[in-house]
Amino acid sequence: MLARLALTALTLAACLPGARALFPDEAGRIDWYRAQIGAPTALIPHTHNHTALLYAATQRNVVAALRAADGQLAWRHVLDGPISAFSVRDARVLTQSGANHSHVHVWDAASGGLEWSFAQPAPGRGAVFVRDCADVIALAGDALVRLAPGSSEPAWELPLNRTAAYSRIVVHNDAVFAIGDAPQTRSAKRRLHVVQVDAATGALRKQYDTAEGIALRGGSVVVLESREYGAYMVWREPENIVWYVHRLGLTAPMWELYHAKLVEIELMPPDMLTSTIAELDIDAGLNDNTPRFSLSYSKDGKSKSVVVEMFRDGDRLEMRKVASFLADGSAIAASPRRSVVAVRPTDTGAAWRVRGGDKHAGDYTYARSAYGPVARAALVYVGDEPRVVVQTRSGQLAALRPGSSEPLWTRNEALGHAADMAFLTLPPPASAAEHAAKETDSSVQPSPVARYILRWVATGRALVEWVAAGFGIASGDRPALAPTEGDHFGFRKLAVFGASTGAVTAVSSQDGAHAWSHYLTHGRTPVRIERVFVTRSSQALSTDAPVIVAAGRARNATVVAAFDALTGRVLSEDTLPLIYARAFELPATDPATGQRLLGFAVAGAEPRVAVWPPTADAARALCAHAAPLYVELGDQAGSTAVHGYRVACADVTEPWLAAEPAWEFALPAGETLISATRYEHGAQHTALQGRVLGDRSVLYKYINPHLGVLATQRAAGGIAVYLIDRVSGRLLHSVVHEQAVVSRAHPFVATLSENRLVYQFWRGLPAGYVTAVAELFESDRPDTRNESLAVSSLDLQLPSVVMAAFVAPEA
């Protein structure tokens, strides 16, 4: 009897569904972490201690080293501003960074450890290593300086004249050359100005003008460095078909002439007039003897590129063609081993085609719609095996290896430029029984016989599922779930990011696994994505896919794209002829698609709200379900007033609604807006109705979904924080922090949640960071609350505010 009961109990236990839960010590743990570097602005391959590394400076002010073998991060540093100089020499990496100042760092190339640094108050314009020495020559403001490790003062400093904007430094033997753009005047055309300085003493040797009509970044001039025979500039003047070659420091003669037809025989004068030249060696010092550059031109409707190498034959300067490529959408990469490759998309855009010299090196699978066109490439050797690292416009990095049609490794650096993100709850997997419940519903299947048969079929399926699941659990070999496959417990979600590089990327919130990507463009211009919305959520057993919408700016338009959130398939893409001031969710759904409506507020002489999807029916649905609607404009940094508008819903015939002025909140004289904060999704889930005090009385929370927080910079010093109602424009609370300091390095940040406002600011040392918390209650008397059933922003009581502040030297 006991054995039979035990067997019955075990059978019933086996039939119970599984469950997942968190242990207390698992709460708050980081599930996964990924260190991003951002989209590179320069890639320099270099081998150190037999390890091939790829050094990168990025748009996110990061300098990093990646292992060429697997793409893993060797080291990285986030710098204090835009990177104005970046080079690799021997076992050191040099960077110059900063917005309104100059900070020179020298890093150990292998470990990334800081060897030495030097700071100057003027903005940086360039820096290079002195050859065979650890010293650095840098441009800071209008001065040329020599910096040495271990010294708190420059070895020498030479103020430069302000007749040119210097941005390039070249060191050759004992001479330093600073090159800059001299502006056009009434008596002289635009030209380049060269200053020659003694590298050891900083004494001025000579200065002169050359290259009339040329700008350093205009695509008509290159600077070539050679340890063996000097430094040169090569340029082509406007309306001219020949190259001028000037050796830096030599003014008699000033230049030699060279014809590009000696390099590429097919060139004709019309081809030369529209041609451009560009430096090919990102860090010229890595290719000391035979500097190279690229010549790009168009002939017979085709874009072409030629790699040109400069060398000396006795006393004569010579140039020769190294390789030629079709240049449409391509990137050229070179290595110090004199190898050159070009990467370009195939005619179908489904693969990258790599050519090494004049030989075809292979095709590699590539989803252009997912990652965008090629931006740059780098050629690096792992041992004797070449690897081509390709960077796309969206920020994707991929390493290609000969003999393989798939990338060896990839890095999605678009996530380093994420401007917004949204979580999507994945639809739970449906069992056979759940499908049967839907299929055998009398409203779906009216025949009782068919419903009876379907129930038996479903029962058989459920039995098979149970047996398979039971054995799978017992053996521990259940397959891993796909990133877009949900669970019954809601732990698995999809995190969808929108990046300023034009990339929309979805990853699993559980382990960071990549689900899908899409590169959003307007013509050839990447869309600067700023907002991501979930406009249709997941539903079990639903045939309607969940929808993610990304919105951003491109040129003078707004692009709104809707995606199937599970596959990344584009459902729709609309271009709105407007530049929005705010994008937000609207409290209504589209009658045609069942998606949440979006609004795009447009400022100007005639403010209005454009409705997406862009149909008049959608606008009428909004007016029918959500009138009246209010929106505020002017809450951008630098504003001195915020304006509220009431959306008019009369005679809706277009997918936009006019906005009428409702209120104005003018800041006090001498104050400018630095930050505006509102509830992230409008409505908040409230955990408790109030705070229970020690005597069991209750302070009831002040809940107002229309709260807005304005932080301003005061002319007298410090900041002011205003709490307003965004429907009426009414001031609810304000506070002044006279000792607060707000800057790019120490920004003001704030968030709203339920009845709490939390914000942080810098107060200076020794106090450091101050975190202020304001709790809003309906009354300062316990057990007292607003008894009105309908709370209106037009007739609000003032909240009772309880504040506290916490000080931390670091945060």
Side-chain angles (χ1 to χ4, degrees):
M1 183 67 179
L2 291 175
R4 188 174 297 174
L5 288 174
L7 180 61
T8 303
L10 287 173
T11 304
L12 290 174
C15 293
L16 293 175
R20 292 183 60 190
L22 290 175
F23 289 100
D25 61 342
E26 292 179 312
R29 287 188 180 181
I30 297 175
D31 291 330
W32 56 275
Y33 170 78
R34 181 179 299 162
Q36 303 288 151
I37 64 173
T41 55
L43 293 170
I44 300 177
H46 195 55
T47 299
H48 183 71
N49 290 339
H50 306 291
T51 301
L53 295 173
L54 190 66
Y55 296 93
T58 77
Q59 299 175 22
R60 301 297 290 174
N61 308 335
V62 171
V63 57
L66 305 176
R67 291 197 294 267
D70 55 14
Q72 294 301 308
L73 198 63
W75 55 265
R76 74 162 189 164
H77 295 287
V78 182
L79 303 183
D80 54 348
I83 300 175
S84 51
F86 173 55
S87 64
V88 180
R89 195 73 75 251
D90 298 330
R92 298 182 181 90
V93 177
L94 166 67
T95 60
Q96 184 187 48
S97 60
N100 300 316
H101 61 281
S102 171
H103 210 153
V104 172
H105 296 89
V106 176
W107 315 91
D108 180 88
S111 67
L114 179 64
E115 292 193 354
W116 62 278
S117 65
F118 198 96
Q120 289 187 287
R125 304 182 186 278
V128 296
F129 280 114
V130 177
R131 293 187 184 275
D132 304 321
C133 179
D135 289 7
V136 170
I137 304 292
L139 274 169
D142 296 315
L144 191 67
V145 297
R146 178 164 181 160
L147 310 175
S151 175
S152 60
E153 296 292 335
W156 52 258
E157 181 173 352
L158 177 68
L160 301 175
N161 60 59
R162 297 187 178 183
T163 58
Y166 300 95
S167 60
R168 185 64 183 269
I169 309 171
V170 178
V171 178
H172 180 66
N173 294 337
D174 62 346
V176 177
F177 301 93
I179 310 170
D181 293 309
Q184 182 174 347
T185 63
R186 291 184 179 181
S187 58
K189 294 182 179 180
R190 183 177 59 182
R191 62 213 179 276
L192 297 181
H193 188 76
V194 180
V195 175
Q196 182 178 353
V197 178
D198 185 280
T201 64
L204 178 65
R205 291 183 178 176
K206 67 169 67 172
Q207 55 182 324
Y208 56 91
D209 291 334
T210 188
E212 190 175 82
I214 299 299
L216 269 177
R217 303 185 186 277
S220 297
V221 61
V222 292
V223 179
L224 307 175
E225 301 179 42
S226 169
R227 180 190 294 268
E228 183 179 352
Y229 50 84
Y232 288 80
M233 287 197 303
V234 179
W235 71 88
R236 181 185 62 80
E237 292 184 350
E239 308 301 326
N240 208 331
I241 64 173
V242 297
W243 286 336
Y244 292 79
V245 182
H246 165 66
R247 181 169 181 173
L248 290 176
L250 184 64
T251 54
M254 178 67 77
W255 37 256
E256 302 176 34
L257 292 178
Y258 198 91
H259 205 297
K261 195 174 181 67
L262 298 175
V263 172
E264 183 59 84
I265 192 65
E266 74 169 10
L267 280 171
M268 300 298 289
D271 308 330
M272 282 296 298
L273 289 175
T274 57
S275 67
T276 59
I277 54 178
E279 294 178 27
L280 189 55
D281 298 302
I282 297 297
D283 190 352
L286 295 178
N287 184 37
D288 285 334
N289 295 322
T290 52
R292 299 159 292 192
F293 64 97
S294 65
L295 162 69
S296 299
Y297 63 98
S298 180
K299 188 173 183 64
D300 300 330
K302 295 183 178 181
S303 298
K304 299 183 178 182
S305 288
V306 176
V307 177
V308 182
E309 186 176 74
M310 190 174 76
F311 67 101
R312 277 281 182 181
D313 184 6
D315 294 332
R316 298 196 314 274
L317 176 71
E318 295 291 347
M319 298 187 190
R320 59 191 170 209
K321 179 174 72 173
V322 176
S324 59
F325 309 99
L326 289 177
D328 188 22
S330 68
I332 299 175
S335 81
R337 300 190 185 190
R338 299 186 63 190
S339 303
V340 179
V341 299
V343 183
R344 65 180 298 270
T346 58
D347 295 336
T348 62
W352 283 317
R353 178 156 292 163
V354 178
R355 294 183 63 87
D358 292 323
K359 297 180 180 179
H360 179 239
D363 289 349
Y364 301 84
T365 302
Y366 160 62
R368 183 185 178 93
S369 62
Y371 303 113
V374 176
R376 61 178 45 82
L379 179 58
V380 59
Y381 283 83
V382 179
D384 291 328
E385 182 183 72
R387 303 262 174 93
V388 180
V389 179
V390 180
Q391 176 197 337
T392 68
R393 294 283 179 84
S394 68
Q396 176 85 353
L397 290 174
L400 313 180
R401 178 176 59 181
S404 173
S405 62
E406 297 287 339
L408 182 65
W409 54 260
T410 61
R411 289 183 63 94
N412 190 354
E413 292 302 334
L415 296 179
H417 298 264
D420 195 18
M421 66 85 63
F423 279 114
L424 173 78
T425 300
L426 293 169
S431 66
E434 290 171 316
H435 280 291
K438 180 177 180 180
E439 293 171 354
T440 58
D441 187 275
S442 58
S443 62
V444 177
Q445 180 54 260
S447 171
V449 176
R451 293 201 300 270
Y452 183 77
I453 295 173
L454 287 172
R455 286 194 189 100
W456 273 107
V457 171
T459 302
R461 289 177 183 169
L463 180 61
V464 173
E465 287 181 2
W466 174 74
V467 173
F471 281 105
I473 292 172
S475 60
D477 58 357
R478 299 186 67 185
L481 295 178
T484 55
E485 187 174 353
D487 58 21
H488 289 286
F489 314 102
F491 288 116
R492 293 176 61 85
K493 299 182 186 296
L494 204 63
V496 184
F497 297 86
S500 58
T501 59
V504 184
T505 303
V507 301
S508 169
S509 65
Q510 190 172 40
D511 54 11
H514 179 266
W516 55 265
S517 292
H518 186 84
Y519 180 62
L520 195 59
T521 62
H522 178 56
R524 292 192 172 186
T525 303
V527 177
R528 187 178 180 86
I529 299 172
E530 296 174 334
R531 296 303 310 273
V532 177
F533 304 95
V534 178
T535 58
R536 189 164 65 204
S537 58
S538 304
Q539 295 181 0
L541 299 173
S542 173
T543 57
D544 295 329
V547 178
I548 286 286
V549 172
R553 311 167 198 257
R555 297 178 183 172
N556 294 319
T558 294
V559 177
V560 185
F563 302 88
D564 182 322
L566 301 182
T567 64
R569 178 173 60 91
V570 179
L571 302 177
S572 67
E573 187 174 327
D574 298 295
T575 301
L576 309 181
L578 54 88
I579 296 296
Y580 64 88
R582 275 191 58 209
F584 48 91
E585 293 182 357
L586 294 170
T589 58
D590 179 29
T593 64
Q595 297 185 58
R596 175 67 68 93
L597 298 181
L598 302 180
F600 296 89
V602 181
E606 298 180 355
R608 64 187 190 275
V609 174
V611 179
W612 183 93
T615 65
D617 288 342
R620 284 190 284 267
L622 173 65
C623 290
H625 294 88
L629 182 69
Y630 291 84
V631 62
E632 77 276 8
L633 296 173
D635 55 354
Q636 291 82 25
S639 299
T640 57
V642 179
H643 300 269
Y645 297 87
R646 186 178 188 274
V647 177
C649 282
D651 301 325
V652 179
T653 60
E654 300 289 341
W656 55 268
L657 305 170
E660 303 169 346
W663 54 266
E664 179 185 10
F665 185 86
L667 300 178
E671 293 189 17
T672 56
L673 192 66
I674 57 176
S675 173
T677 307
R678 58 182 66 85
Y679 285 111
E680 186 175 355
H681 298 294
Q684 292 276 310
H685 294 289
T686 304
L688 293 173
Q689 200 173 13
R691 181 203 280 186
V692 180
L693 304 181
D695 59 358
R696 295 192 177 184
S697 61
V698 177
L699 287 175
Y700 288 96
K701 294 179 180 180
Y702 181 92
I703 303 297
N704 179 0
H706 305 144
L707 288 179
V709 180
L710 306 177
T712 67
Q713 184 82 57
R714 302 170 70 242
I719 63 172
V721 179
Y722 300 96
L723 189 67
I724 67 170
D725 182 273
R726 297 185 296 111
V727 169
S728 63
R730 186 180 179 187
L731 177 64
L732 304 178
H733 182 71
S734 66
V735 62
V736 174
H737 301 280
E738 295 181 349
Q739 296 180 337
V741 177
V742 176
S743 64
R744 186 172 182 176
H746 304 292
F748 175 91
V749 291
T751 185
L752 280 166
S753 179
E754 290 192 1
N755 69 322
R756 292 184 184 88
L757 163 65
V758 182
Y759 58 92
Q760 187 181 74
F761 59 87
W762 176 255
R763 193 179 171 182
L765 294 175
Y769 287 95
V770 176
T771 302
V773 181
E775 286 191 90
L776 280 59
F777 298 98
E778 293 188 5
S779 173
D780 57 356
R781 292 178 296 174
D783 297 329
T784 303
R785 63 175 309 181
N786 184 359
E787 299 297 338
S788 174
L789 296 178
V791 179
S792 171
S793 287
L794 302 180
D795 186 22
L796 275 179
Q797 65 180 29
L798 293 177
S800 173
V801 181
V802 177
M803 291 200 67
F806 306 89
V807 179
E810 297 182 2

